[in-house]
Amino acid sequence: MTSPTFRSSQSKGFSTFLIFLIFCLFCASAQAASAVLGIDVGTEYIKATLVKPGIPLDIVLTKDSRRKETSAVCFKPDQNSQIGDFPERVYGSDAVALAARFPGDVYPNLKALLGLPATNSKVQEYAARHPALKLEEEKSRGTAAFRSRAFGADEEPWMVEEILAMEFQSIQKNSEALAGKGFLVKDVVITVPPYFSMEEKRAIELAADLAGLRVLSLLSDGLAVGLNYATTRTFPSITEGGKPEHHLVFDMGAGSTKATVLRFQGRTVKATGSSNKTIQEVQVLGTGWDRTLGGDALNAIIVDDMIDNFVASKGAKAASVTAEAVKAHGRAAAKLWKEAERLRQVLSANTETQASFEGLYDDVDFRYKLSRAGFEKLSESFAGRVSPAIEAAIDKAGLAIDDLDSIILHGGAVRTPFIQRQLEKIAGNSDKIRSNVNADEAAVFGAGFKAAGLSPSFRVKDIKTSEVAGYAIGMKWINVHEKPQHQQLFKPQSLIGVEKTVTFKNQNDFSIAFYQQVGSDENVLPGPAEKEILTLITKNLTAGVAELTGKGCAEDDILAKFGVRLNADHGNVEITHAALHCDLEEEEKKDSVVDSVKGLFGFGAKKDAQEVLDDTEAVEIAGSEPESSTTSLATPTASSALTSASLAAKDGPKMTKRLIVIPLDYDVEIKGYPPLAAKELLRMKGRLTAFDDSDRSRSLREESLNQLEGFTYRIRDLIEDPSFVEASTDAERSSLEDKAKAVGDWLYGDGAGATRDKLRAKLKELKDIVNPIEKRRDEASKRPEQLYSLQQALNQTKGFIDTVRGQIENAASSVSSAELKSSTTTNSQSTATSGDFDGLEDEETSSATASQAATPIPVPPPYTEEDVKPVEELYDSVLAWLTEKLPEQEALPATADPVILVQDLVQRAEKLQKAGMDLVMKTMKIPRQSSSSKSKASKTRTSKKTKQTKGAKPEKEAQKAVPQGSEDIPNKKVVGEDDEMPTKDEILEASRKSKEAERQEKQGHKIDEL
C-alpha cells in the first residue's frame, strides 16, 4: 500500500507539472496572439500591415519585396499534371503577367463581385471584360463562381470568396515570414467601402474565414484614413472650449469613388485614480460614393478607343476584324487592359504616350498613340461625376463646403490631372486640397492601428472612433391587430454600437424582420429596397403572457421589450436582450416605508429591475395603430415613493406597482443568401488546404530538381579540379562522369515530371561518389595544421606536468626542513627553561621565547599526486594513439580514406587544453586568508601584556608563512564568485605573482637558517 507521504508527493509533482504545462501553453498562445494584421482590400491592389512586439507598424512586403500586391490569382496549367492534381498558383503581378498566355485562368479585381448574384449587370460587365473566364452561378447561393480549365471537368467551380481567400492566405504567409519563427497571424482588421451592403460585408468575412483568419473588425476606408491621420496629431479639446476640426477624405481608387466627412476633436475624460486625460475622437458624420467611378472606368475608355483605332487600321480592315471579335478574344482583351492601365498612369505625369502590339488579333500588329488632352476629352463625362459623391457626404453631415478645414486625398486615381482640377473647382480654394497622408498606404496603416487597439497585447494612442450605419435599418412585423407594420430604427447617419430598446404589445409569439434600406440605384440585389438581413422569432412569448396574466397582470400592461443595436465590429443587427415587462398593481406591504427609504439611498434594488443605459434610446411602438405610440413607462421617483410610503403609514395600506420581468427565448435566422452548410464549408476549407499542400509539395520538388540539376553542373567542375583529381582514382572519376551525364539526359527526358523522391534518389547516387572524395581532399588540406596544433598541445602538457611535479617535490622538501628545525628549537627551549625558578613568569623572557618560537608554518603544496595523475594518463594515451596512427597515415596514398581524421585531432587537442586549464584553475580557487586569521596563532601564545605591546612582530612573522598562491592579489578573478572564467592575461598575471611569492618564500627560509 502506498504511503500517504508518497501519494502527497506524487500529487504535488503532478500538480506542478500541470501548472508548468498550462504556463507553456499560455505562453505559446500569447505569443501566437501577439501579432495582428491590417488589410486594405482594394479593387486593383491589396496591402497589409503587421503589428507585433519589435515591429510597431510595418508594411508586409510581397515575395518580390513590393509594398503592395496586385489583386490577382492565376491557376497555371501543367501539361504533365494528372487527374486530381492541383495546378500551380501564382499571385500578384506575376499572375497578371500570365494573363496573355492563360487568359482563362487569371482572376483579377474580384472585389467588385463580392456579394453579388451571377445575374447582376456588374458581374456580366466583368465577364465581358474578361471573355476567356468561364463564369457560372453557384448552386446554393446564386453568386458568381468560375470554372477553371486547369482542373478536370468534374471539379466544382471556385466561388469568388474562395479565390479571395487564397489572396488572404498569401498575405498571411508573407506576414508570418515577417513576424518570424513562432508567430501565427490570425487576427485581422479589414477595410471595406462605406457603400458595402450587409451581403458584401458577409462575403468579406466568409473569405477571411476560409483563409483561417479571425476578423476583429471591418473598418470603412474613409475612417481608416482618418484614423491614420489622427495618430500623429492632437486636436482641440471640446471639454476646454476648443473647436473640432472637419475634414473630408476623398478616396478614388481603381473601382470606385468615396467621400467621407470626419470630425476630429479632443475630449478630457476621467482616468484611473483622480487624474484626467485627453483622448482623441474621430467620428464619421456623412458618406457619399460612386460605385463605378474609378481607374477601371477610365481604363475602359482607353480600351474602347484602342479597339476603335485598331479596327479602323489598314491591317485590321484587310482581315475584316470587328470590334466585337476583338473584345471577345481573351488574349487580345488581356493585352489591351494591361496596356490601358499603363497608359493612364503615364499620362498622369506626361502629356502623351504610346503603345505597340505585335500580333494583337489575327496576326495584325497595332501601334497606338494617346495624348493627355485626348484622354481628357474622352473622359469629359466622368469629370462631372466627382462632385455628387462629395455633395452627398457634406449634406448628410449637415455641413457646407466652407466648414471643411481640408480635403484629404487618398487612392491611386486622385493623381489624374483632370480629377485634381475638378476637386479644386469644388473646394473653391486649392489650399484646401491636402496631400498630407500617404495616398496609397494611409488606409492600411489605419487598419493596422485599429487591429493593435483591439488586441490586448498592445497599448496604443487612445483614439476613439465612431462609424455610421451607411444605410437605414428598419424592422417590420405583424402587430397585435394582425396588421403589417414598419418602423425605422437607424438612419444612415446613426452611429453603430448604440443600443435602442423597442417595445411591442403582441400577446402571442411572433417574428420581427430587420432589413437594410438599399436603393435600387445601388444595383446590388434584385427585388425591393428593403433587403432583409435578420429575423427574430420568439419562442415563449405566449407562455410568458399567460404566466403574467395568472399573476394578476392586465393584458394592456404586458409589454415585450427588445434591445437592438448595430454591432460595432461589422455593423450587423444584433439583439442584446429580450423580456416581458409588467407593472403589477398590488397592496403595499407594511415595510414599504423602509423599502422606500432604502430605495431613496440606492439600497435594496431588485435584481430583476431593468438597467437604464445612458446611451440607450427607447423606441416604443404601438400595437393598435401604426401612427400612434404607447404610453411611456413611468418610474416612481424617490421623493414620490417616500411620500406614498409616509401616507401609507398614516392612512393604512395603499396600492402600488411592482415590475415583473420574464426573460424571452428567441431564435435568430440570417436572411439574404443562405449560409453555407457545414458540410459545404468543410469541403471548401479542405480543398484550400489540399491546394496549400500541393503548393508546398511542388515547391519542395522544384527545390530538389534545382539541387540535382545544379549538382550535375558542379560535377563537371570537380572533375577538372586538380585537388579533386588528386584525391580520386581514375575509376571513380570515370563512373562519376558517366552517371552525371546519364542524370542530365534523364532530367530533360523522362525525369521532367519525376517525383521528389526520385529526384532525391538520383542526387544521393551522385553524392555517394562525390562525398568520400571531397572528404579525403578536405582532410588532406586541413590535417597538417591540426596535427601541428595537437603536437603543440602535447608539448605544453608535458612541460606543465614536469613543472607541477617539481613544485610537489619542492613542497615536500620544505615540509621536511620545517619539521627538523621545529624539533631542534623545542629541545633548546626545554633545556633553557628548566631550573629553580620554574613556573615563575618573566615577561621579557616569555616574549623573546615566543618570538623565537614563531618559526615558518609549512606550506601545503598547491597540487597533489591525485591532481596530476589524470592529466598524465591523458597525455600518455594521446601520445600513444598519435605514435600508432601517424605512421599508418603517412603510408597511405592520397586516394585512400584517412585513418587520422581532423575531427579526432581537434577533439584530443581540446581535451589536453581543458585538462591543463582545469589544473591551473585549482590554484585560482584557493580561498583568501585574512591577515587577522594569519596572526591569530601567534597572538594566542603570548600573554595579555605581550599582545598589547608586541603583537605586531609575530603578525609579520606569521605573514611570511602564507601558503603559496593564496596571498591577496589585487583585481584577481576567483572562479566561482561570478561564474566567469579568467582571461588569458589574468591567468598569466596570477602565475607571475605565484612565482614571485615562491621566490620570496625561499629567501625567507634562507634568512631563518642563517
Side-chain angles (χ1 to χ4, degrees):
M1 183 175 179
T2 307
S3 65
T5 305
F6 179 74
R7 289 198 302 267
S8 176
S9 61
Q10 268 192 326
S11 176
K12 184 177 180 181
F14 178 75
S15 301
T16 305
F17 173 75
L18 185 61
I19 293 173
F20 175 74
L21 182 62
I22 294 174
F23 175 76
C24 293
L25 291 175
F26 173 78
C27 292
S29 61
Q31 185 184 33
S34 62
V36 292
L37 197 62
I39 300 179
D40 179 22
V41 181
T43 302
E44 185 179 3
Y45 293 101
I46 185 168
K47 299 173 281 290
T49 52
L50 177 71
V51 184
K52 64 159 285 224
I55 302 179
L57 198 61
D58 197 7
I59 285 286
V60 177
L61 301 179
T62 67
K63 293 182 178 180
D64 301 330
S65 299
R66 298 180 181 179
R67 297 180 68 86
K68 58 183 179 181
E69 184 79 280
T70 304
S71 182
V73 180
C74 174
F75 297 159
K76 186 178 179 181
D78 187 358
Q79 297 178 354
N80 298 320
S81 63
Q82 300 177 359
I83 297 176
D85 291 346
F86 288 90
E88 180 182 359
R89 279 186 298 189
V90 184
Y91 298 95
S93 57
D94 294 337
V96 175
L98 295 172
R101 291 179 56 195
F102 311 108
D105 290 294
V106 178
Y107 307 94
N109 303 1
L110 295 176
K111 177 183 176 181
L113 308 183
L114 290 171
L116 301 181
T119 56
N120 189 277
S121 59
K122 295 178 182 177
V123 179
Q124 296 300 319
E125 182 181 353
Y126 179 90
R129 290 184 179 182
H130 307 279
L133 297 179
K134 296 183 64 176
L135 177 67
E136 293 187 8
E137 183 175 324
E138 203 274 329
K139 296 177 182 179
S140 62
R141 295 159 57 90
T143 55
F146 297 95
R147 186 174 294 278
S148 172
R149 296 177 178 85
F151 293 89
D154 58 341
E155 185 72 25
E156 291 290 336
W158 294 86
M159 292 175 55
V160 174
E161 291 84 352
E162 288 182 277
I163 301 177
L164 183 60
M166 296 179 190
E167 298 185 42
F168 285 163
Q169 287 178 332
S170 176
I171 289 176
Q172 183 185 24
K173 293 175 183 177
N174 293 338
S175 63
E176 289 177 350
L178 175 62
K181 186 177 180 180
F183 283 91
L184 297 177
V185 181
K186 295 291 184 182
D187 296 337
V188 62
V189 170
I190 303 176
T191 64
V192 295
Y195 57 75
F196 256 23
S197 64
M198 196 56 61
E199 292 295 345
E200 292 167 300
K201 290 181 179 180
R202 288 172 180 171
I204 282 281
E205 292 179 319
L206 175 58
D209 181 41
L210 292 173
L213 297 174
R214 184 170 71 97
V215 178
L216 299 176
S217 176
L218 297 178
L219 189 65
S220 67
D221 295 328
L223 183 57
V225 175
L227 184 57
N228 176 249
Y229 181 80
T231 54
T232 56
R233 292 168 174 81
T234 301
F235 304 101
S237 174
I238 59 173
T239 310
E240 301 173 358
K243 181 181 178 182
E245 298 181 10
H246 296 90
H247 301 269
L248 184 142
V249 176
F250 182 80
D251 185 1
M252 186 175 183
S256 61
T257 297
K258 291 89 64 179
T260 306
V261 177
L262 301 170
R263 178 169 62 198
F264 299 85
Q265 62 188 23
R267 185 187 298 273
T268 303
V269 297
K270 184 89 171 168
T272 304
S274 59
S275 60
N276 295 332
K277 66 176 181 177
T278 300
I279 64 172
Q280 307 302 308
E281 296 181 340
V282 183
Q283 180 180 341
V284 177
L285 299 182
T287 56
W289 57 78
D290 188 326
R291 280 179 173 260
T292 59
L293 177 61
D296 275 356
L298 300 179
N299 293 343
I301 297 174
I302 300 176
V303 170
D304 292 340
D305 189 58
M306 284 193 294
I307 292 176
D308 292 340
N309 282 269
F310 174 68
V311 172
S313 64
K314 293 181 180 180
K317 285 182 178 180
S320 301
V321 177
T322 62
E324 291 74 14
V326 176
K327 291 180 180 180
H329 193 269
R331 292 186 179 180
K335 291 180 180 180
L336 291 171
W337 279 98
K338 181 180 178 181
E339 200 62 21
E341 171 73 14
R342 186 189 67 82
L343 293 175
R344 181 177 61 84
Q345 292 179 355
V346 171
L347 288 176
S348 297
N350 299 275
T351 57
E352 61 181 24
T353 184
Q354 62 180 3
S356 299
F357 300 90
E358 183 177 352
L360 178 61
Y361 180 81
D362 202 10
D363 292 333
V364 178
D365 298 339
F366 175 58
R367 291 178 61 86
Y368 176 74
K369 291 184 179 181
L370 181 64
S371 64
R372 181 186 294 177
F375 172 61
E376 293 179 354
K377 185 176 181 179
L378 294 172
S379 310
E380 285 179 347
S381 60
F382 290 86
R385 295 170 58 181
V386 174
S387 58
I390 297 177
E391 292 170 358
I394 294 176
D395 291 343
K396 291 178 182 178
L399 301 175
I401 191 70
D402 295 335
D403 297 328
L404 299 177
D405 293 282
S406 71
I407 297 178
I408 302 172
L409 302 182
H410 189 264
V414 296
R415 300 182 179 92
T416 308
F418 79 86
I419 296 294
Q420 293 186 348
R421 291 198 301 268
Q422 191 70 16
L423 289 173
E424 293 176 359
K425 181 180 178 181
I426 295 172
N429 184 2
S430 60
D431 294 338
K432 281 191 175 183
I433 308 298
R434 302 284 177 82
S435 299
N436 46 8
V437 299
N438 189 322
D440 290 325
E441 300 175 354
V444 71
F445 275 117
F449 184 88
K450 180 71 172 180
L454 293 175
S455 172
S457 302
F458 304 96
R459 288 188 61 186
V460 297
K461 183 179 179 181
D462 201 345
I463 302 177
K464 181 181 178 181
T465 59
S466 301
E467 187 77 88
V468 295
Y471 294 103
I473 302 292
M475 61 182 181
K476 52 186 178 181
W477 74 103
I478 303 299
N479 63 19
V480 69
H481 300 291
E482 301 298 328
K483 293 182 180 180
Q485 192 166 340
H486 288 63
Q487 178 71 35
Q488 186 183 80
L489 284 178
F490 302 98
K491 299 178 180 179
Q493 289 75 43
S494 297
L495 297 178
I496 64 175
V498 177
E499 182 180 338
K500 289 187 176 183
T501 300
V502 293
T503 306
F504 301 88
K505 280 197 169 185
N506 293 52
Q507 304 294 313
N508 298 313
D509 287 312
F510 71 112
S511 62
I512 309 171
F514 297 93
Y515 61 85
Q516 191 176 42
Q517 190 79 23
V518 182
S520 59
D521 55 335
E522 296 294 334
N523 191 18
V524 178
L525 294 173
E530 298 174 354
K531 313 297 182 185
E532 291 190 13
I533 56 178
L534 189 76
T535 297
L536 180 147
I537 305 171
T538 63
K539 298 171 63 177
N540 64 332
L541 177 62
T542 304
V545 170
E547 181 181 350
L548 291 176
T549 305
K551 292 182 178 181
C553 289
E555 291 186 356
D556 293 340
D557 294 334
I558 300 176
L559 301 174
K561 295 188 176 184
F562 299 86
V564 184
R565 70 181 176 189
L566 299 180
N567 186 279
D569 295 330
H570 47 70
N572 198 4
V573 174
E574 63 181 4
I575 309 301
T576 58
H577 63 271
L580 276 175
H581 290 240
C582 171
D583 285 329
L584 178 63
E585 188 174 1
E586 60 184 4
E587 184 177 322
E588 191 174 7
K589 296 180 180 179
K590 292 181 180 180
D591 57 350
S592 59
V593 175
V594 179
D595 292 340
S596 300
V597 174
K598 289 170 69 179
L600 173 64
F601 292 99
F603 301 105
K606 293 182 175 60
K607 293 183 179 180
D608 57 353
Q610 183 180 8
E611 182 181 0
V612 181
L613 302 177
D614 294 338
D615 57 350
T616 301
E617 299 182 40
V619 181
E620 304 208 355
I621 300 164
S624 58
E625 297 297 333
E627 61 274 4
S628 64
S629 61
T630 60
T631 305
S632 302
L633 295 176
T635 303
T637 62
S639 60
S640 63
L642 184 59
T643 303
S644 62
S646 301
L647 293 175
K650 294 180 180 179
D651 302 335
K654 296 292 183 180
M655 302 302 293
T656 184
K657 288 187 176 182
R658 178 169 60 92
L659 179 63
I660 303 177
V661 179
I662 297 179
L664 286 177
D665 295 334
Y666 57 89
D667 288 331
V668 173
E669 293 182 0
I670 303 297
K671 292 297 182 179
Y673 294 126
L676 290 173
K679 182 178 180 181
E680 183 68 9
L681 190 63
L682 187 62
R683 180 192 67 83
M684 291 181 178
K685 290 184 177 181
R687 184 162 67 162
L688 289 174
T689 302
F691 220 143
D692 288 339
D693 294 340
S694 174
D695 288 344
R696 191 178 301 107
S697 299
R698 180 177 288 103
S699 176
L700 293 175
R701 179 194 174 277
E702 291 178 352
E703 181 181 354
S704 299
L705 177 63
N706 294 334
Q707 289 177 351
L708 179 58
E709 188 176 10
F711 201 75
T712 57
Y713 291 119
R714 182 167 175 264
I715 289 174
R716 299 177 187 177
D717 298 334
L718 287 175
I719 293 176
E720 299 177 358
D721 186 359
S723 60
F724 187 85
V725 172
E726 183 181 357
S728 60
T729 63
D730 295 337
E732 288 175 331
R733 291 194 301 274
S734 177
S735 175
L736 180 62
E737 186 175 8
D738 294 341
K739 285 192 175 183
K741 185 177 182 303
V743 169
D745 296 338
W746 177 78
L747 280 176
Y748 296 102
D750 298 337
T755 63
R756 178 172 177 249
D757 292 337
K758 290 184 178 180
L759 295 172
R760 296 179 66 183
K762 293 288 184 181
L763 181 62
K764 185 178 182 302
E765 290 180 7
L766 297 177
K767 285 188 173 182
D768 288 343
I769 301 176
V770 172
N771 289 346
I773 300 174
E774 288 190 321
K775 184 176 182 180
R776 297 175 211 152
R777 182 189 61 182
D778 295 340
E779 290 284 334
S781 62
K782 297 177 182 179
R783 190 183 303 112
E785 179 182 356
Q786 297 302 327
L787 185 60
Y788 175 77
S789 298
L790 179 59
Q791 291 172 343
Q792 288 290 103
L794 285 170
N795 295 335
Q796 292 174 359
T797 304
K798 177 61 176 174
F800 185 67
I801 291 173
D802 294 341
T803 302
V804 170
R805 287 201 175 280
Q807 292 180 359
I808 294 175
E809 293 174 359
N810 293 337
S813 62
S814 298
V815 170
S816 300
S817 176
E819 290 177 351
L820 179 62
K821 185 175 182 180
S822 175
S823 176
T824 306
T825 305
T826 304
N827 294 333
S828 63
Q829 288 179 353
S830 299
T831 305
T833 56
S834 62
D836 297 335
F837 299 97
D838 292 344
L840 297 180
E841 291 187 4
D842 189 340
E843 294 183 0
E844 293 189 7
T845 305
S846 299
S847 176
T849 304
S851 176
Q852 293 175 2
T855 58
I857 301 174
V859 181
Y863 304 109
T864 63
E865 185 65 28
E866 288 75 12
D867 296 332
V868 182
K869 187 176 181 181
V871 181
E872 192 170 19
E873 290 177 351
L874 176 62
Y875 169 80
D876 293 339
S877 64
V878 172
L879 181 62
W881 174 82
L882 185 61
T883 304
E884 177 187 356
K885 296 293 182 179
L886 188 58
E888 295 180 15
Q889 179 63 48
E890 292 177 349
L892 291 176
T895 57
D897 293 334
V899 295
I900 297 180
L901 300 179
V902 171
Q903 182 180 0
D904 296 336
L905 296 174
V906 172
Q907 290 177 352
R908 283 167 169 78
E910 289 178 351
K911 286 182 180 179
L912 290 172
Q913 293 173 359
K914 184 178 183 302
M917 183 63 68
D918 291 342
L919 200 57
V920 171
M921 290 301 103
K922 178 178 174 57
T923 59
M924 304 296 289
K925 294 180 182 179
I926 296 177
R928 299 175 182 176
Q929 183 176 353
S930 61
S931 59
S932 60
S933 63
K934 297 172 188 176
S935 58
K936 186 175 181 180
S938 299
K939 292 182 179 181
T940 55
R941 288 194 294 266
T942 61
S943 63
K944 181 177 181 180
K945 184 176 181 179
T946 305
K947 286 188 286 183
Q948 293 176 352
T949 58
K950 299 185 179 291
K953 185 175 181 181
E955 182 177 356
K956 291 181 180 179
E957 293 294 336
Q959 286 179 357
K960 294 181 181 179
V962 176
Q964 178 183 349
S966 66
E967 57 272 8
D968 293 335
I969 302 175
N971 300 324
K972 182 182 75 172
K973 281 196 175 183
V974 179
V975 178
E977 292 183 358
D978 55 359
D979 293 333
E980 291 186 4
M981 296 294 290
T983 63
K984 181 179 179 181
D985 294 338
E986 290 172 338
I987 294 175
L988 294 176
E989 178 67 16
S991 178
R992 185 188 63 79
K993 290 181 179 287
S994 178
K995 292 180 179 180
E996 180 67 20
E998 182 180 355
R999 185 184 61 82
Q1000 293 179 359
E1001 179 186 357
K1002 291 181 179 180
Q1003 291 180 354
H1005 288 174
K1006 292 180 180 180
I1007 294 174
D1008 292 338
E1009 292 175 359
L1010 292 175

